[in-house]
Amino acid sequence: MTQLDPEFSGPQPSLMSNGRPLSSSPHRLGWMRGHSAATPMGELRSIYETNGCLLVKGLLPRAEVLAFREQFFAFMAGAGIIQPGTEPRDGICRSDGVAEPMARKYLMEFVRSARYEKFCMHDKLVDFLDEFLGGLSYLHKRKIIRYTKPSDPSATGAHYDLVYIRGGTERLVTAWIPIGDVPVHMGGLVYLEGSHFLGRTMEGQFAAANATLSAEERVSAFNKNMNEGGWLTKDLAELADRHNTKWLIANYEAGDVMLHSPYMVHAATANQDPNGTMRLSTDIRYQRVSDEIDVRWANHWSLDDML
């Protein structure tokens, strides 16, 4: 059961990450195939286990996702990030610059809000994760919400999530949720095909290298045996060439939920929207409540928490 269309067709998107092109050639790109939320759960689990990731189309009500987008940007407008004269729901970035200290203050307030918690605990999402995980699900308190400006060339480098959450079970799943439509030119997450096997191999190598470190150092993404704070590389094209694989891309829509394994290598690309539209997304982690929980993730996300 393939996750890809057989061939990458159409003009190659000019995608960038940290100032570098995503791919070295069209055969290093592939379109992610989405699957309806109405697909039988056994089939969805099989796709996830085979591919290390799963794009669930339309799991959340589109209107509610867009309403939450409006609530977020209406709040953040107080920090001066929205272009004057535009609607908060559109998320148009202020063209004359954003006062970052104020924006960070507002963002950290929103992270702690009941409004954000409510969105992450949407009944449809919780019901799906309970069934997907085969037991009552636990949502990690450390939840990340990001807005990405079109003027920002930086992006999250290639990594797999277990590097940052080693202190608990490996049986967890990340849900990356686009809050609004995220066509491919606006960036979003990209996945290295077949890399959940690569992630397991790398984690085994890191575990062996970390064997003599203290328990606290062993679980840290910033120990002496890790690169760039847990990132594998910023050069996504070179990584695909080195492992003879391709990056999977998608046009995400409001209501979609992207699930991936803690071993799946992924990254983000730069937002290149010509109209100044900010990309908004959240990434949150679920696991079975009966499994061991990484205590470092029992606090709200902060920009300096080193996780």
Side-chain angles (χ1 to χ4, degrees), residues 207-240:
N210 294 340
T212 60
L213 301 181
S214 68
E216 183 178 0
E217 287 179 305
R218 280 199 302 272
V219 299
S220 174
F222 293 84
N223 72 44
K224 65 182 182 181
N225 296 315
M226 301 301 296
N227 300 318
E228 297 190 63
W231 289 2
L232 303 175
T233 182
K234 292 181 181 179
D235 193 339
L236 306 190
E238 187 279 330
L239 189 63

Coordinates of all heavy atoms in Angstrom, one line a residue, residues 207-240:
A207 N 21.8 5.8 21.2 CA 21.7 5.2 22.5 C 23.0 4.5 22.9 O 23.4 4.6 24.1 CB 20.6 4.1 22.5
A208 N 23.7 3.9 21.9 CA 25.0 3.2 22.2 C 26.0 4.3 22.6 O 26.8 4.1 23.5 CB 25.4 2.4 21.0
A209 N 26.0 5.4 21.8 CA 27.0 6.5 22.1 C 26.7 7.2 23.4 O 27.7 7.7 24.1 CB 26.9 7.5 21.0
N210 N 25.5 7.2 23.9 CA 25.1 7.9 25.1 C 25.2 7.0 26.3 O 24.9 7.5 27.4 CB 23.6 8.4 25.0 CG 23.5 9.5 23.9 OD1 24.5 10.1 23.5 ND2 22.3 9.7 23.4
A211 N 25.6 5.8 26.2 CA 25.5 4.8 27.3 C 26.2 5.2 28.5 O 25.8 4.9 29.6 CB 26.0 3.4 26.8
T212 N 27.3 6.0 28.4 CA 28.1 6.3 29.5 C 27.7 7.7 30.1 O 28.2 8.1 31.1 CB 29.6 6.4 29.1 OG1 29.8 7.4 28.1 CG2 30.1 5.1 28.6
L213 N 26.7 8.3 29.5 CA 26.2 9.6 30.0 C 25.3 9.4 31.2 O 24.7 8.3 31.4 CB 25.5 10.4 28.9 CG 26.4 10.7 27.7 CD1 25.5 11.5 26.7 CD2 27.6 11.5 28.0
S214 N 25.1 10.5 32.0 CA 24.1 10.4 33.0 C 22.7 10.2 32.5 O 22.4 10.5 31.3 CB 24.1 11.7 33.9 OG 23.7 12.8 33.1
A215 N 21.7 9.8 33.3 CA 20.4 9.6 32.9 C 19.8 10.9 32.3 O 19.1 10.9 31.3 CB 19.5 9.1 34.0
E216 N 20.1 12.0 32.9 CA 19.6 13.3 32.4 C 20.1 13.6 31.1 O 19.4 14.1 30.2 CB 19.9 14.4 33.4 CG 19.3 15.8 33.0 CD 19.6 16.8 34.1 OE1 20.3 16.5 35.1 OE2 19.2 18.0 33.9
E217 N 21.4 13.4 30.9 CA 22.1 13.7 29.6 C 21.6 12.8 28.5 O 21.5 13.2 27.3 CB 23.6 13.6 29.8 CG 24.2 14.7 30.5 CD 25.8 14.6 30.7 OE1 26.2 13.5 31.1 OE2 26.5 15.5 30.2
R218 N 21.4 11.5 28.8 CA 21.0 10.5 27.8 C 19.7 10.9 27.1 O 19.5 10.7 25.9 CB 20.8 9.1 28.4 CG 22.1 8.4 28.7 CD 21.9 6.9 28.8 NE 21.0 6.6 29.9 CZ 21.4 6.4 31.2 NH1 22.7 6.5 31.5 NH2 20.5 6.1 32.1
V219 N 18.7 11.5 27.8 CA 17.5 11.8 27.2 C 17.5 13.2 26.5 O 16.5 13.6 25.8 CB 16.3 11.8 28.2 CG1 16.2 10.4 28.8 CG2 16.5 12.8 29.3
S220 N 18.6 14.0 26.7 CA 18.6 15.3 26.2 C 19.0 15.3 24.7 O 19.9 14.6 24.2 CB 19.7 16.1 26.9 OG 19.8 17.4 26.3
A221 N 18.3 16.2 23.9 CA 18.6 16.4 22.5 C 19.9 17.3 22.4 O 20.4 17.5 21.3 CB 17.5 17.1 21.8
F222 N 20.4 17.8 23.5 CA 21.5 18.8 23.4 C 22.8 18.2 24.1 O 23.7 18.9 24.5 CB 21.1 20.1 24.2 CG 20.0 20.8 23.4 CD1 18.7 20.5 23.6 CD2 20.4 21.8 22.5 CE1 17.7 21.2 23.0 CE2 19.4 22.5 21.9 CZ 18.1 22.2 22.1
N223 N 22.8 16.8 24.1 CA 24.0 16.2 24.7 C 25.1 16.2 23.7 O 24.9 16.5 22.5 CB 23.7 14.8 25.3 CG 23.5 13.8 24.3 OD1 24.2 13.7 23.3 ND2 22.5 12.9 24.5
K224 N 26.3 15.9 24.1 CA 27.5 16.0 23.2 C 27.5 15.1 22.0 O 28.3 15.3 21.1 CB 28.8 15.7 24.0 CG 28.9 14.3 24.6 CD 30.1 14.1 25.4 CE 30.3 12.7 25.9 NZ 31.5 12.6 26.7
N225 N 26.6 14.1 22.0 CA 26.6 13.2 20.8 C 25.5 13.6 19.8 O 25.4 12.9 18.8 CB 26.3 11.8 21.3 CG 27.4 11.2 22.2 OD1 28.6 11.4 21.9 ND2 27.0 10.6 23.3
M226 N 24.8 14.7 20.0 CA 23.8 15.1 19.1 C 24.3 16.3 18.2 O 25.2 17.0 18.6 CB 22.5 15.6 19.9 CG 21.9 14.5 20.8 SD 21.4 13.0 19.9 CE 20.2 13.6 18.8
N227 N 23.6 16.5 17.1 CA 24.0 17.5 16.2 C 22.9 18.6 16.2 O 21.7 18.4 16.2 CB 24.1 17.0 14.7 CG 25.1 15.9 14.6 OD1 26.2 16.0 15.2 ND2 24.8 14.9 13.9
E228 N 23.4 19.9 16.2 CA 22.5 21.0 16.0 C 21.2 21.0 16.9 O 20.1 21.2 16.5 CB 22.0 21.2 14.6 CG 23.2 21.5 13.6 CD 22.7 21.9 12.2 OE1 22.0 22.9 12.1 OE2 23.0 21.1 11.3
G229 N 21.4 20.6 18.2 CA 20.3 20.5 19.1 C 19.3 19.5 18.7 O 18.1 19.6 18.9
G230 N 19.7 18.4 18.1 CA 18.8 17.3 17.7 C 18.5 17.2 16.2 O 18.0 16.2 15.8
W231 N 18.8 18.3 15.5 CA 18.5 18.2 14.1 C 19.6 17.4 13.4 O 20.7 17.3 13.8 CB 18.6 19.6 13.5 CG 17.5 20.5 13.8 CD1 16.4 20.2 14.6 CD2 17.3 21.9 13.3 NE1 15.6 21.3 14.7 CE2 16.1 22.3 13.9 CE3 18.0 22.7 12.5 CZ2 15.6 23.6 13.7 CZ3 17.5 24.0 12.3 CH2 16.3 24.4 12.9
L232 N 19.2 16.6 12.3 CA 20.1 15.8 11.6 C 20.9 16.7 10.6 O 22.0 16.5 10.4 CB 19.3 14.7 10.8 CG 18.5 13.8 11.7 CD1 17.7 12.8 10.8 CD2 19.3 13.0 12.7
T233 N 20.2 17.6 10.0 CA 20.8 18.5 9.0 C 19.8 19.6 8.6 O 18.6 19.4 8.8 CB 21.2 17.7 7.7 OG1 21.8 18.6 6.8 CG2 20.0 17.1 7.0
K234 N 20.3 20.7 8.1 CA 19.5 21.7 7.4 C 19.4 21.5 5.9 O 18.6 22.1 5.2 CB 20.0 23.1 7.7 CG 19.9 23.6 9.1 CD 20.5 25.0 9.3 CE 20.4 25.5 10.7 NZ 21.0 26.8 10.9
D235 N 20.3 20.7 5.4 CA 20.4 20.4 3.9 C 19.5 19.3 3.6 O 19.9 18.1 3.5 CB 21.8 20.2 3.5 CG 22.1 20.3 2.0 OD1 21.1 20.1 1.3 OD2 23.2 20.5 1.6
L236 N 18.2 19.5 3.3 CA 17.3 18.5 3.0 C 17.6 17.7 1.7 O 17.4 16.5 1.6 CB 15.9 19.1 2.9 CG 15.4 19.9 4.2 CD1 13.9 20.2 4.1 CD2 15.7 19.2 5.5
A237 N 18.0 18.5 0.7 CA 18.4 17.8 -0.6 C 19.5 16.8 -0.4 O 19.4 15.7 -0.9 CB 18.7 18.9 -1.6
E238 N 20.5 17.2 0.3 CA 21.6 16.2 0.5 C 21.2 15.0 1.3 O 21.6 13.9 1.0 CB 22.7 17.0 1.3 CG 24.0 16.2 1.4 CD 24.0 15.2 2.6 OE1 23.3 15.4 3.6 OE2 24.7 14.1 2.4
L239 N 20.3 15.2 2.3 CA 19.8 14.0 3.0 C 19.1 13.0 2.1 O 19.2 11.8 2.3 CB 18.9 14.5 4.2 CG 18.5 13.4 5.2 CD1 19.7 12.9 5.9 CD2 17.5 14.0 6.2
A240 N 18.2 13.5 1.3 CA 17.5 12.7 0.3 C 18.4 12.0 -0.6 O 18.3 10.8 -0.9 CB 16.4 13.5 -0.4

